[in-house]
């Protein structure tokens, strides 16, 4: 999957170039089953902006693991806290086996969208660890990650936060390493994986781990940082961002390609249950195929003998 993507020869994505950062994330999500993000600021608005790719990611069985700093928008913080209230999720909010509906759900930014994000956290499809530097006044400020398809890996380091503004509005760049390419890329990938696992598994003695209730809600007046604006995207502002996004002919073509591919995948016949057939059903399918093959051979033999 990842190996089949036409990666840029420069192994770089830059705003205003033939390879936009958004293209990288859409390609990566659509062809992966795992994504690890080591971040500074994180917002579900990025998932909304990448809905066409993230829907395919979830449909493929994808799982997202995130390490992020402790500053969130009010909506994001509420979703994370809600995810730890098991009584809220007795029934499914998302049908992960319906690609068309999944894409529609993720593309609509509202209360249901945040409930779905909470549902994904509660069902371990999104795992989130919240950290800040131990005994220091700063924040986690990483911007890197790894895509995996089950066989191959792609590591990246970006200038952008994983927010709607970071992905779309800013001028940003991403450098990538393809795990199958050369020894240096493999070494950088291994180093990234080890560093991430150390933090994610609670073994890093240089960070403080925070429960969802102790996260901080971003308020522009309090933090006075330009990057905080990225977390305070109202629904109307995100709508405007999406409209601006579609003004770019290259992005238009990219989004249409993914939407067409998703539609084609959604129309393909598939087993009705997300987990696939059980063992006895696999055996029945196997016997049916063998029976069809035997009948074909028999028919061919009769046809051949009649014409000899």
């Amino acid at each position: 999957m990842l190996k089949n993507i036409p990666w840029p020869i420069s192994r770089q994505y830059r705003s205003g170039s033939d390879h936009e950062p958004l293209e990288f994330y859409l390609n990566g999500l659509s062809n992966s089953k795992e994504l690890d993000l080591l971040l500074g600021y994180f917002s579900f608005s990025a998932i909304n902006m990448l809905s066409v790719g993230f829907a395919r990611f979830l449909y493929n069985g994808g799982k997202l693991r995130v390490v992020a700093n402790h500053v969130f928008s009010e909506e994001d913080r509420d979703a994370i806290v809600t995810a730890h209230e098991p009584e809220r999720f007795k029934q499914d909010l998302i049908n992960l086996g319906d690609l068309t509906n999944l894409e529609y759900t993720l593309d609509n930014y509202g209360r249901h969208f945040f409930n779905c994000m909470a549902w994904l956290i509660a069902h371990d499809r999104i795992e989130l660890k919240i950290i800040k530097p131990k005994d220091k006044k700063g924040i986690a400020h990483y911007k890197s990650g790894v895509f995996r398809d089950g066989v191959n890996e792609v590591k990246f380091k970006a200038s952008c936060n994983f927010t709607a503004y970071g992905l779309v509005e800013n001028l940003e760049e991403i450098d990538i390493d393809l795990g199958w390419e050369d020894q240096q890329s493999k070494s950088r990938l291994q180093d990234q994986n080890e560093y991430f696992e150390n933090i994610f598994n609670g073994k890093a003695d240089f960070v403080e781990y925070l429960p969802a209730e102790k996260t901080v809600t971003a308020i522009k007046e309090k933090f006075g940082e330009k990057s905080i604006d990225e977390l305070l995207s109202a629904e109307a502002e995100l709508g405007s961002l999406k409209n601006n996004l579609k003004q770019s002919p290259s992005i238009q073509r990219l989004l249409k390609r993914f939407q067409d591919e998703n539609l084609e995948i959604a129309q393909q016949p598939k087993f009705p249950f997300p987990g696939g057939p059980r063992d006895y059903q696999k055996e029945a399918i196997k016997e049916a195929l063998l029976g069809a093959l035997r009948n074909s051979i028999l028919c061919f033999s009769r046809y051949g003998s009649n014409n000899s």
Side-chain angles (χ1 to χ4, degrees):
M1 296 165 69
L2 288 170
K3 210 168 184 178
N4 295 328
I5 295 172
W7 303 104
I9 296 173
S10 65
R11 304 298 185 247
Q12 293 178 325
Y13 290 79
R14 288 196 176 107
S15 301
S17 74
D18 291 337
H19 298 282
E20 295 275 350
L22 190 72
E23 177 190 350
F24 169 74
Y25 284 106
L26 287 173
N27 271 327
L29 284 166
S30 296
N31 291 279
S32 296
K33 295 180 179 180
E34 295 178 17
L35 170 58
D36 289 344
L37 290 173
L38 183 59
L39 300 174
Y41 296 111
F42 167 76
S43 174
F44 291 127
S45 65
I47 290 177
N48 176 259
M49 198 63 60
L50 295 166
S51 57
V52 67
F54 200 76
R56 180 107 59 96
F57 176 73
L58 290 175
Y59 183 79
N60 289 338
K63 292 188 177 183
L64 171 64
R65 298 194 299 174
V66 180
V67 172
N69 72 34
H70 61 295
V71 184
F72 293 90
S73 71
E74 186 174 353
E75 292 87 353
D76 289 341
R77 182 183 187 275
D78 288 347
I80 295 166
V81 172
T82 299
H84 295 89
E85 300 172 7
E87 290 299 312
R88 299 282 295 271
F89 301 104
K90 286 185 176 179
Q91 64 183 100
D92 291 348
L93 290 180
I94 309 178
N95 180 358
L96 296 174
D98 184 342
L99 182 56
T100 303
N101 188 261
L102 191 54
E103 184 182 333
Y104 176 80
T105 298
L106 298 177
D107 191 49
N108 288 276
Y109 194 82
R111 178 44 46 198
H112 183 64
F113 171 82
F114 286 104
N115 285 338
C116 288
M117 293 301 101
W119 184 89
L120 288 169
I121 295 172
H123 287 78
D124 295 326
R125 299 304 288 268
I126 298 177
E127 295 183 76
L128 187 64
K129 297 294 175 72
I130 302 163
I131 66 169
K132 67 177 184 178
K134 197 169 188 177
D135 302 324
K136 293 183 180 180
K137 295 180 180 179
I139 60 170
H141 211 255
Y142 304 107
K143 300 178 183 71
S144 58
V146 175
F147 282 106
R148 300 187 188 89
D149 64 8
V151 177
N152 294 300
E153 298 178 306
V154 174
K155 175 246 178 188
F156 64 93
K157 185 170 287 187
S159 64
C160 50
N161 290 310
F162 199 74
T163 64
Y165 270 83
L167 294 177
V168 177
E169 197 74 352
N170 297 338
L171 298 177
E172 305 284 2
E173 62 181 359
I174 300 172
D175 292 330
I176 68 171
D177 284 300
L178 309 180
W180 59 89
E181 193 161 50
D182 54 44
Q183 191 55 48
Q184 279 192 325
S185 294
K186 289 178 182 176
S187 296
R188 284 192 287 263
L189 233 163
Q190 183 179 351
D191 183 70
Q192 176 77 16
N193 286 335
E194 290 174 357
Y195 192 79
F196 180 89
E197 293 295 341
N198 188 42
I199 296 176
F200 192 83
N201 292 323
K203 297 178 180 179
D205 58 7
F206 53 90
V207 304
E208 180 181 348
Y209 296 86
L210 300 177
E213 301 78 27
K214 291 192 177 180
T215 56
V216 178
T217 301
I219 302 172
K220 188 170 10 178
E221 291 78 11
K222 178 177 178 180
F223 287 91
E225 265 188 71
K226 287 184 179 179
S227 53
I228 289 296
D229 292 343
E230 299 180 5
L231 299 173
L232 301 174
S233 304
E235 188 171 353
E237 291 173 319
L238 281 171
S240 176
L241 272 178
K242 285 184 177 181
N243 288 334
N244 291 340
L245 183 67
K246 292 174 183 176
Q247 298 305 310
S248 164
S250 61
I251 296 299
Q252 275 185 347
R253 289 192 296 271
L254 185 67
L255 291 174
K256 186 176 186 309
R257 175 166 69 83
F258 281 107
Q259 287 167 342
D260 289 345
E261 287 177 2
N262 281 1
L263 183 60
E264 185 178 339
I265 291 170
Q267 291 174 341
Q268 291 174 357
K270 61 180 181 297
F271 199 80
F273 305 109
R278 293 185 172 89
D279 289 341
Y280 74 89
Q281 291 167 325
K282 290 179 182 176
E283 192 62 32
I285 293 169
K286 179 181 174 182
E287 287 301 320
L289 290 172
L290 287 173
L293 180 61
R294 283 193 292 268
N295 287 335
S296 296
I297 294 171
L298 182 61
C299 288
F300 180 79
S301 299
R302 287 175 178 172
Y303 177 81
S305 61
N306 289 337
N307 285 275
S308 58

